[in-house]
């Protein structure tokens, strides 16, 4: 098993198995014990705690590699925030997507005021290195303050109906929140959701806008990129 694929230093399982476990966990909404059971069916004996450690150790790194391989997003950004209950306290998940539904970035914060909006805008611009032509938000006034201060030349449109793109992108987060019985510390929510948004989105194109042949091509490309970025064969 380990003669064909490389292993990370200190890990006895090959990279192929580690990447498969992370793929199962993020794409299908499974628990660590579910992934443990699926691997056991293939003759791979590993504990759910090891899988948890793999996701913590490698999930963010895999997500960063996938982010670098993404094409340039659209020029219209939809921004929205949704509340998260973490340890009995209210937090907010700020999310930005482009007009194609691709998640650009997320940020977990304990406020939804102007300072929080500015912090999110700066994080977006630092990560993407360019600016949009238009941003669409709901009626939260904090967005307007941040836009005038950080993106004054960008058109800002507010509408509760035009922002469905961002609101719909919260659905996978809500499903995982229920499955995980809420997030624990804010740092854990940020770490998990940042990786989950990229990995989940990489394998979930907008199927309803594609023909069957187009979808198969996009799916094959997604698997090919995942293989290239997470697994590498030993050189002879």
């Amino acid at each position: 098993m380990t003669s064909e694929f490389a292993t990370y230093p200190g890990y006895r399982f090959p990279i192929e198995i580690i990447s498969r476990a992370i793929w199962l966990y993020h794409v299908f909404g499974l628990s660590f014990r579910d992934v443990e059971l699926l691997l056991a069916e293939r003759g791979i004996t590993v504990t759910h705690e090891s899988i948890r450690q793999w996701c913590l150790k490698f999930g963010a790194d895999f997500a960063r590699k996938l982010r670098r391989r993404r094409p340039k997003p659209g020029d219209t950004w939809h921004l929205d925030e949704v509340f998260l209950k973490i340890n009995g306290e209210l937090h907010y998940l700020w999310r930005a997507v482009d007009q194609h539904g691709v998640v650009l970035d997320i940020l977990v914060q304990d406020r939804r005021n102007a300072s929080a909006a500015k912090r999110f805008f700066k994080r977006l611009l630092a990560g993407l290195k360019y600016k949009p032509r238009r941003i669409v938000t709901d009626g939260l006034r904090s967005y307007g303050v941040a836009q005038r201060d950080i993106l004054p030349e960008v058109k800002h449109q507010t509408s509760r109906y035009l922002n469905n793109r961002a609101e719909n992108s919260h659905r996978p987060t809500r499903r995982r929140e229920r499955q995980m019985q809420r997030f624990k510390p804010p740092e854990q929510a940020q770490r998990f959701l940042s990786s989950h948004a990229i990995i989940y989105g990489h394998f979930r194109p907008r199927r309803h806008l594609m023909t069957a042949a187009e979808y198969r091509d996009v799916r094959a490309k997604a698997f090919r990129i995942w293989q290239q970025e997470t697994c590498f064969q030993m050189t002879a």
Side-chain angles (χ1 to χ4, degrees), residues 21 24-25 28-41 48 51 176 179:
L24 288 170
Y25 179 68
F28 296 102
L30 303 172
S31 68
F32 296 126
R33 294 181 186 273
D34 292 333
V35 177
E36 176 187 356
L37 182 61
L38 288 172
L39 294 179
E41 188 272 333
H48 66 275
I51 296 170
R176 291 312 297 260
Q179 190 268 332

Side-chain angles (χ1 to χ4, degrees), residues 46-65:
V46 60
T47 66
H48 66 275
E49 177 59 24
S50 294
I51 296 170
R52 186 182 74 85
Q53 292 295 333
W54 293 348
C55 291
L56 288 175
K57 174 73 174 180
F58 302 109
D61 183 54
F62 290 173
R64 280 193 296 270
K65 292 178 179 179

Side-chain angles (χ1 to χ4, degrees), residues 85-133:
K85 206 68 171 295
I86 302 177
N87 290 333
E89 297 182 359
L90 201 61
H91 289 72
Y92 298 93
L93 173 64
W94 298 70
R95 184 188 303 267
V97 303
D98 68 4
Q99 67 264 39
H100 307 299
V102 177
V103 178
L104 305 178
D105 209 344
I106 67 166
L107 182 61
V108 177
Q109 303 189 83
D110 58 358
R111 295 288 187 273
R112 63 197 295 257
N113 53 18
S115 297
K118 291 178 183 179
R119 190 177 301 114
F120 184 48
F121 276 43
K122 291 177 181 178
R123 177 186 174 94
L124 271 173
L125 296 176
L128 298 176
K129 306 300 183 183
Y130 48 82
K131 299 179 181 180
R133 177 181 58 84

Side-chain angles (χ1 to χ4, degrees), residues 130-147:
Y130 48 82
K131 299 179 181 180
R133 177 181 58 84
R134 179 177 64 130
I135 62 173
V136 181
T137 69
D138 57 20
L140 182 66
R141 294 183 179 180
S142 300
Y143 287 118
V145 175
Q147 180 266 331

Side-chain angles (χ1 to χ4, degrees), residues 66-227:
L66 293 179
R67 183 192 292 271
R68 289 198 299 265
R69 295 289 295 268
R70 293 189 311 185
K72 181 179 178 180
D75 58 1
T76 298
W77 296 358
H78 298 256
L79 285 72
D80 190 48
E81 77 292 335
V82 66
F83 74 89
L84 295 175
K85 206 68 171 295
I86 302 177
N87 290 333
E89 297 182 359
L90 201 61
H91 289 72
Y92 298 93
L93 173 64
W94 298 70
R95 184 188 303 267
V97 303
D98 68 4
Q99 67 264 39
H100 307 299
V102 177
V103 178
L104 305 178
D105 209 344
I106 67 166
L107 182 61
V108 177
Q109 303 189 83
D110 58 358
R111 295 288 187 273
R112 63 197 295 257
N113 53 18
S115 297
K118 291 178 183 179
R119 190 177 301 114
F120 184 48
F121 276 43
K122 291 177 181 178
R123 177 186 174 94
L124 271 173
L125 296 176
L128 298 176
K129 306 300 183 183
Y130 48 82
K131 299 179 181 180
R133 177 181 58 84
R134 179 177 64 130
I135 62 173
V136 181
T137 69
D138 57 20
L140 182 66
R141 294 183 179 180
S142 300
Y143 287 118
V145 175
Q147 180 266 331
R148 289 190 295 271
D149 187 32
I150 299 176
L151 296 172
E153 72 282 7
V154 175
K155 181 180 179 181
H156 180 204
Q157 189 171 3
T158 61
S159 172
R160 58 178 299 185
Y161 302 107
L162 293 178
N163 211 31
N164 288 340
R165 182 83 65 219
E167 294 173 358
N168 291 337
S169 70
H170 291 305
R171 291 180 178 178
T173 298
R174 288 303 192 198
R175 287 195 294 266
R176 291 312 297 260
E177 183 183 31
R178 291 192 297 270
Q179 190 268 332
M180 298 171 69
Q181 298 181 9
R182 295 189 182 278
F183 302 110
K184 303 307 185 286
E187 296 77 14
Q188 181 243 0
Q190 177 68 48
R191 183 172 56 246
F192 168 76
L193 292 173
S194 294
S195 301
H196 176 68
I198 301 300
I199 297 174
Y200 179 89
H202 180 70
F203 291 99
R204 300 289 184 176
R206 301 180 68 194
R207 174 67 180 87
H208 63 288
L209 298 180
M210 305 176 185
T211 65
E214 290 172 340
Y215 174 68
R216 285 193 291 267
D217 289 341
V218 170
R219 184 177 60 187
K221 182 179 179 181
F223 280 119
R224 187 166 57 251
I225 291 174
W226 177 259
Q227 183 74 15

Side-chain angles (χ1 to χ4, degrees), residues 1-20 54 58 62 65 227-236:
M1 181 172 59
T2 57
S3 61
E4 182 182 358
F5 284 91
T7 58
Y8 287 110
Y11 291 84
R12 64 187 178 93
F13 286 96
I15 296 170
E16 183 187 36
I17 292 177
I18 293 176
S19 67
R20 174 57 61 91
W54 293 348
F58 302 109
F62 290 173
K65 292 178 179 179
Q227 183 74 15
Q228 292 171 353
E229 294 296 344
T230 64
C231 303
F232 60 92
Q233 293 188 345
M234 293 288 286
T235 57

